[in-house]
mmCIF file of all heavy atoms in Angstrom:
data_model
loop_
_atom_site.group_PDB
_atom_site.id
_atom_site.type_symbol
_atom_site.label_atom_id
_atom_site.label_comp_id
_atom_site.label_asym_id
_atom_site.label_seq_id
_atom_site.Cartn_x
_atom_site.Cartn_y
_atom_site.Cartn_z
ATOM 1 N N TRP B 335 124.870 -87.140 46.836
ATOM 2 C CA TRP B 335 125.969 -88.127 46.696
ATOM 3 C C TRP B 335 125.619 -89.299 45.740
ATOM 4 O O TRP B 335 126.313 -90.234 45.676
ATOM 5 C CB TRP B 335 126.504 -88.728 48.030
ATOM 6 C CG TRP B 335 126.765 -87.705 49.043
ATOM 7 C CD1 TRP B 335 126.038 -87.400 50.234
ATOM 8 C CD2 TRP B 335 127.831 -86.621 49.006
ATOM 9 N NE1 TRP B 335 126.528 -86.383 50.883
ATOM 10 C CE2 TRP B 335 127.695 -85.835 50.208
ATOM 11 C CE3 TRP B 335 128.827 -86.374 48.117
ATOM 12 C CZ2 TRP B 335 128.448 -84.775 50.485
ATOM 13 C CZ3 TRP B 335 129.662 -85.334 48.385
ATOM 14 C CH2 TRP B 335 129.480 -84.567 49.586
ATOM 15 N N GLU B 336 124.497 -89.151 45.045
ATOM 16 C CA GLU B 336 124.106 -90.216 44.137
ATOM 17 C C GLU B 336 124.265 -89.790 42.668
ATOM 18 O O GLU B 336 124.315 -88.511 42.422
ATOM 19 C CB GLU B 336 122.676 -90.675 44.424
ATOM 20 C CG GLU B 336 122.545 -91.551 45.649
ATOM 21 C CD GLU B 336 121.076 -91.946 45.951
ATOM 22 O OE1 GLU B 336 120.150 -91.621 45.177
ATOM 23 O OE2 GLU B 336 120.963 -92.729 46.951
ATOM 24 N N THR B 337 124.269 -90.748 41.764
ATOM 25 C CA THR B 337 124.355 -90.547 40.328
ATOM 26 C C THR B 337 123.044 -90.973 39.685
ATOM 27 O O THR B 337 122.577 -92.045 40.056
ATOM 28 C CB THR B 337 125.574 -91.213 39.775
ATOM 29 O OG1 THR B 337 126.766 -90.677 40.494
ATOM 30 C CG2 THR B 337 125.844 -90.935 38.321
ATOM 31 N N THR B 338 122.636 -90.307 38.673
ATOM 32 C CA THR B 338 121.456 -90.845 37.893
ATOM 33 C C THR B 338 121.839 -92.103 37.138
ATOM 34 O O THR B 338 122.939 -92.310 36.822
ATOM 35 C CB THR B 338 120.922 -89.758 36.878
ATOM 36 O OG1 THR B 338 122.089 -89.339 36.047
ATOM 37 C CG2 THR B 338 120.377 -88.502 37.532
ATOM 38 N N PRO B 339 120.838 -93.007 36.937
ATOM 39 C CA PRO B 339 121.134 -94.308 36.331
ATOM 40 C C PRO B 339 121.810 -94.163 34.950
ATOM 41 O O PRO B 339 122.619 -94.966 34.564
ATOM 42 C CB PRO B 339 119.800 -94.939 36.179
ATOM 43 C CG PRO B 339 118.889 -94.227 37.188
ATOM 44 C CD PRO B 339 119.412 -92.847 37.376
ATOM 45 N N ASP B 340 121.532 -93.091 34.191
ATOM 46 C CA ASP B 340 122.165 -92.883 32.880
ATOM 47 C C ASP B 340 123.597 -92.267 33.052
ATOM 48 O O ASP B 340 124.172 -91.874 32.030
ATOM 49 C CB ASP B 340 121.321 -91.983 32.025
ATOM 50 C CG ASP B 340 121.091 -90.603 32.542
ATOM 51 O OD1 ASP B 340 121.614 -90.298 33.717
ATOM 52 O OD2 ASP B 340 120.360 -89.801 31.928
ATOM 53 N N LYS B 341 124.071 -92.154 34.263
ATOM 54 C CA LYS B 341 125.418 -91.641 34.577
ATOM 55 C C LYS B 341 125.579 -90.167 34.025
ATOM 56 O O LYS B 341 126.755 -89.773 33.818
ATOM 57 C CB LYS B 341 126.544 -92.563 33.950
ATOM 58 C CG LYS B 341 126.479 -93.950 34.446
ATOM 59 C CD LYS B 341 127.822 -94.283 35.071
ATOM 60 C CE LYS B 341 127.812 -95.588 35.846
ATOM 61 N NZ LYS B 341 127.777 -96.803 35.011
ATOM 62 N N LYS B 342 124.493 -89.428 33.955
ATOM 63 C CA LYS B 342 124.652 -88.130 33.390
ATOM 64 C C LYS B 342 124.918 -87.126 34.523
ATOM 65 O O LYS B 342 125.840 -86.244 34.387
ATOM 66 C CB LYS B 342 123.332 -87.688 32.685
ATOM 67 C CG LYS B 342 123.502 -86.429 31.890
ATOM 68 C CD LYS B 342 122.250 -86.185 30.969
ATOM 69 C CE LYS B 342 122.327 -84.833 30.434
ATOM 70 N NZ LYS B 342 121.087 -84.506 29.661
ATOM 71 N N PHE B 343 124.205 -87.183 35.660
ATOM 72 C CA PHE B 343 124.364 -86.238 36.758
ATOM 73 C C PHE B 343 124.703 -86.893 38.080
ATOM 74 O O PHE B 343 124.183 -87.933 38.428
ATOM 75 C CB PHE B 343 123.023 -85.482 36.986
ATOM 76 C CG PHE B 343 122.625 -84.672 35.729
ATOM 77 C CD1 PHE B 343 121.507 -85.020 34.994
ATOM 78 C CD2 PHE B 343 123.304 -83.465 35.456
ATOM 79 C CE1 PHE B 343 121.100 -84.282 33.943
ATOM 80 C CE2 PHE B 343 122.876 -82.729 34.347
ATOM 81 C CZ PHE B 343 121.779 -83.122 33.576
ATOM 82 N N THR B 344 125.665 -86.268 38.778
ATOM 83 C CA THR B 344 125.904 -86.631 40.150
ATOM 84 C C THR B 344 125.647 -85.356 41.037
ATOM 85 O O THR B 344 126.096 -84.281 40.646
ATOM 86 C CB THR B 344 127.371 -87.042 40.384
ATOM 87 O OG1 THR B 344 127.642 -88.241 39.630
ATOM 88 C CG2 THR B 344 127.618 -87.453 41.882
ATOM 89 N N LEU B 345 124.958 -85.482 42.126
ATOM 90 C CA LEU B 345 124.635 -84.379 42.916
ATOM 91 C C LEU B 345 125.432 -84.400 44.200
ATOM 92 O O LEU B 345 125.415 -85.419 44.936
ATOM 93 C CB LEU B 345 123.115 -84.316 43.236
ATOM 94 C CG LEU B 345 122.615 -83.233 44.178
ATOM 95 C CD1 LEU B 345 122.794 -81.824 43.629
ATOM 96 C CD2 LEU B 345 121.130 -83.538 44.557
ATOM 97 N N VAL B 346 126.095 -83.301 44.518
ATOM 98 C CA VAL B 346 126.794 -83.230 45.846
ATOM 99 C C VAL B 346 126.582 -81.848 46.447
ATOM 100 O O VAL B 346 126.263 -80.871 45.780
ATOM 101 C CB VAL B 346 128.347 -83.507 45.690
ATOM 102 C CG1 VAL B 346 128.668 -84.886 45.145
ATOM 103 C CG2 VAL B 346 129.055 -82.409 44.878
ATOM 104 N N LYS B 347 126.790 -81.814 47.787
ATOM 105 C CA LYS B 347 126.761 -80.554 48.518
ATOM 106 C C LYS B 347 128.202 -80.191 48.765
ATOM 107 O O LYS B 347 129.000 -80.982 49.073
ATOM 108 C CB LYS B 347 126.033 -80.697 49.852
ATOM 109 C CG LYS B 347 124.542 -80.988 49.711
ATOM 110 C CD LYS B 347 123.855 -80.676 51.058
ATOM 111 C CE LYS B 347 124.015 -81.784 52.076
ATOM 112 N NZ LYS B 347 123.150 -81.642 53.264
ATOM 113 N N VAL B 348 128.536 -78.871 48.568
ATOM 114 C CA VAL B 348 129.861 -78.367 48.858
ATOM 115 C C VAL B 348 129.829 -77.218 49.792
ATOM 116 O O VAL B 348 128.843 -76.607 49.954
ATOM 117 C CB VAL B 348 130.671 -78.038 47.579
ATOM 118 C CG1 VAL B 348 130.927 -79.240 46.699
ATOM 119 C CG2 VAL B 348 129.913 -76.990 46.816
ATOM 120 N N GLU B 349 130.990 -76.989 50.406
ATOM 121 C CA GLU B 349 131.116 -75.788 51.286
ATOM 122 C C GLU B 349 131.456 -74.578 50.394
ATOM 123 O O GLU B 349 131.770 -74.664 49.188
ATOM 124 C CB GLU B 349 132.223 -76.020 52.361
ATOM 125 C CG GLU B 349 131.899 -77.096 53.362
ATOM 126 C CD GLU B 349 130.655 -76.829 54.237
ATOM 127 O OE1 GLU B 349 130.147 -75.687 54.228
ATOM 128 O OE2 GLU B 349 130.180 -77.751 54.952
ATOM 129 N N CYS B 350 131.452 -73.416 51.041
ATOM 130 C CA CYS B 350 131.526 -72.082 50.354
ATOM 131 C C CYS B 350 132.283 -72.035 49.044
ATOM 132 O O CYS B 350 133.459 -72.307 48.998
ATOM 133 C CB CYS B 350 132.050 -71.055 51.360
ATOM 134 S SG CYS B 350 131.940 -69.406 50.710
#
Side-chain angles (χ1 to χ4, degrees):
Chain B
W335 310 111
E336 286 181 355
T337 301
T338 52
D340 61 0
K341 300 240 169 72
K342 191 169 171 188
F343 297 109
T344 300
L345 174 65
V346 300
K347 289 198 282 191
V348 293
E349 295 295 351
C350 188

